[in-house]
Amino acid sequence: MQSLQELLKTHEQDIQAFAPADATELESYRIKYLGAKGIVKQVFGEMKNVPVEQKKDAGQLLNAFKQLAEAKYEAFAHLQSSNKKADKAVDMTLPGTPLPTGTRHPLRMVENQIISIFEKIGFSVATGPEIEDDWHNFTSLNMPEHHPARDMQDTFYVSQNPDWVLRTHTSSVQARIMEQGHLPVRVICPGRVYRNETISARAHCFFHQCEGLYIDKNVSFADLKQTLYYFVTEMFGPDTKVRFRPSYFPFTEPSAEMDISCTVCGGSGCSLCKHTGWVEILGCGMVHPNMLRNFGIDPEVYSGFAFGMGVERITQIKYQVNDLRLYSQNDIRFLKQFQSI
Ligand code: PHE
């Protein structure tokens, strides 16, 4: 009887201290104490060694022990059942939670469209730095020191070095390409440009341009017109009309601006074309002989044309985006409208 009491006591201490962390620990406990070969069964087996006159007391002790072992198990039984419920809750046949997929930015899509149109006629892509020096952004482009475009009002200067600017146009890449001296040249130069403008629906301190440059022997203004006409019909459709207006850029001579017939009203007049039927899309011209000379290219032998267009402007006309700020606000409701393009 005494040895039985001692045996039960050590087990009781263990049982009291037992606190399962999960269903697996609880199940090991069940097997250890309450299983077919468990401790409860074993200690009941000791009854046969207890003298008859003590059997009643021993029976009470053993029953109390059994109840203790079972009560502990019951106390944590919710671990088992909640786990089983969780198992049932996972229905592997249900469809998964879809992850929203991103889209390309509309400006990047239009830039890619511009590039692929020009790639078809043999232009390759060139890029240059966004922090540019005075020579590539201004001087080499026939824009001498007094030129108004250099005004602090328009240009961001880099404070560490007065010679550095955030490029104000992608024409700086033209300069870098000519500098390399590989002729003929037929490149398209997409990129971001910066101007010190107050941000509004119609102006931004940064935007995107796509420059084109073609230099070879016998390149004429007719080649320029035909190239741009091809671009317009690919980008805006075969019914789009073009017109050229004389203009001025220091790095082209003659220079022109090109308009297309309004894609929204077809020419009858609307708010996009300010009721003129035409929208301006780019500047262009024949590369100025001074610029060719700046890079050691003989203007008597070579000639070329250049053009530069705003990617935001093309996107605005093609998809009727009427506020420039939308492009940089990262509003998913705006961006996802371009998903299917
Ligand atoms: N760089 C000019 C601008 O930013 C555009 C242009 C490019 C004009 C090439 C003529 C030739 O307005």
Side-chain angles (χ1 to χ4, degrees):
M1 186 63 180
Q2 211 187 332
S3 61
L4 183 63
Q5 272 172 335
E6 271 161 25
L7 178 66
L8 293 183
K9 205 173 192 127
T10 48
H11 286 314
E12 276 167 13
Q13 278 165 1
D14 286 349
I15 290 171
Q16 253 136 22
F18 177 69
D22 57 23
T24 325
E25 281 188 30
L26 183 63
E27 178 61 4
S28 322
Y29 170 93
R30 191 191 63 78
I31 294 167
K32 181 174 173 192
Y33 289 97
L34 308 169
K37 292 179 184 165
I39 288 168
V40 171
K41 276 266 158 62
Q42 283 170 31
V43 292
F44 269 86
E46 295 294 314
M47 272 294 262
K48 61 181 184 297
N49 304 322
V50 177
V52 192
E53 64 282 12
Q54 289 182 332
K55 274 206 197 293
K56 196 178 162 216
D57 288 346
Q60 277 174 358
L61 273 181
L62 285 168
N63 274 328
F65 176 73
K66 185 181 175 197
Q67 273 163 21
L68 177 76
E70 284 174 345
K72 190 77 178 195
Y73 180 75
E74 297 299 336
F76 290 99
H78 68 273
L79 276 179
Q80 291 287 54
S81 57
S82 63
N83 239 35
K84 280 200 188 110
K85 263 186 232 145
D87 281 352
K88 268 191 214 132
V90 179
D91 180 350
M92 302 299 276
T93 64
L94 287 175
T97 315
L99 289 174
T101 45
T103 61
R104 278 191 212 286
H105 193 278
L107 291 177
R108 182 68 78 192
M109 288 194 226
V110 170
E111 186 183 281
N112 286 344
Q113 289 172 13
I114 297 171
I115 291 170
S116 64
I117 290 170
F118 282 103
E119 270 177 347
K120 277 193 218 157
I121 53 169
F123 282 74
S124 50
V125 175
T127 54
E130 290 180 17
I131 299 176
E132 195 46 284
D133 53 42
D134 181 284
W135 168 252
H136 293 99
N137 197 79
F138 293 128
T139 308
S140 68
L141 294 163
N142 215 21
M143 289 164 104
E145 237 158 83
H146 60 265
H147 199 277
R150 291 167 166 241
D151 196 313
M152 297 284 271
Q153 303 298 314
D154 297 317
T155 305
F156 286 115
Y157 284 84
V158 177
S159 50
Q160 283 92 332
N161 187 334
D163 194 44
W164 290 347
V165 298
L166 298 188
R167 70 177 175 196
T168 58
H169 52 183
T170 43
S171 302
S172 58
V173 188
Q174 276 195 48
R176 288 185 173 272
I177 293 294
M178 287 191 211
E179 187 176 63
Q180 285 171 8
H182 305 301
L183 293 169
V185 170
R186 204 184 292 169
V187 289
I188 189 95
C189 321
R192 182 175 284 187
V193 301
Y194 300 82
R195 285 183 204 176
N196 192 0
E197 303 258 7
T198 309
I199 296 171
S200 70
R202 305 170 125 262
H204 211 294
C205 60
F206 65 80
F207 52 100
H208 300 77
Q209 288 189 332
C210 218
E211 192 89 358
L213 177 67
Y214 182 20
I215 303 176
D216 204 346
K217 290 172 182 156
N218 302 317
V219 178
S220 70
F221 201 89
D223 297 320
L224 168 63
K225 285 177 85 173
Q226 188 55 40
T227 304
L228 293 177
Y229 182 62
Y230 154 79
F231 165 72
V232 165
T233 50
E234 290 285 306
M235 184 56 108
F236 297 104
D239 297 332
T240 320
K241 293 186 201 65
V242 300
R243 75 174 186 192
F244 289 80
R245 284 177 290 104
S247 185
Y248 171 77
F249 299 102
F251 37 91
T252 48
E253 181 57 39
S255 304
E257 274 168 322
M258 189 176 84
D259 301 339
I260 61 169
S261 54
C262 182
T263 51
V264 170
C265 62
S268 58
C270 68
S271 60
L272 175 69
C273 60
K274 297 194 202 98
H275 303 281
T276 63
W278 295 94
V279 285
E280 185 204 318
I281 67 160
L282 54 79
C284 59
M286 301 306 290
V287 178
H288 199 290
N290 285 352
M291 194 173 164
L292 294 173
R293 272 186 220 107
N294 280 342
F295 294 101
I297 300 168
D298 185 351
E300 301 299 324
V301 182
Y302 284 95
S303 55
F305 64 73
F307 56 87
M309 66 183 92
V311 182
E312 280 82 349
R313 179 78 174 143
I314 304 287
T315 314
Q316 177 197 17
I317 295 167
K318 193 152 178 180
Y319 302 111
Q320 278 94 60
V321 180
N322 53 17
D323 189 331
L324 274 176
R325 291 167 294 194
L326 286 166
Y327 293 119
S328 50
Q329 277 164 346
N330 259 350
D331 186 332
I332 194 86
R333 291 167 303 176
F334 169 70
L335 297 173
K336 77 176 178 202
Q337 293 179 53
F338 297 85
Q339 218 152 13
S340 53
I341 295 166

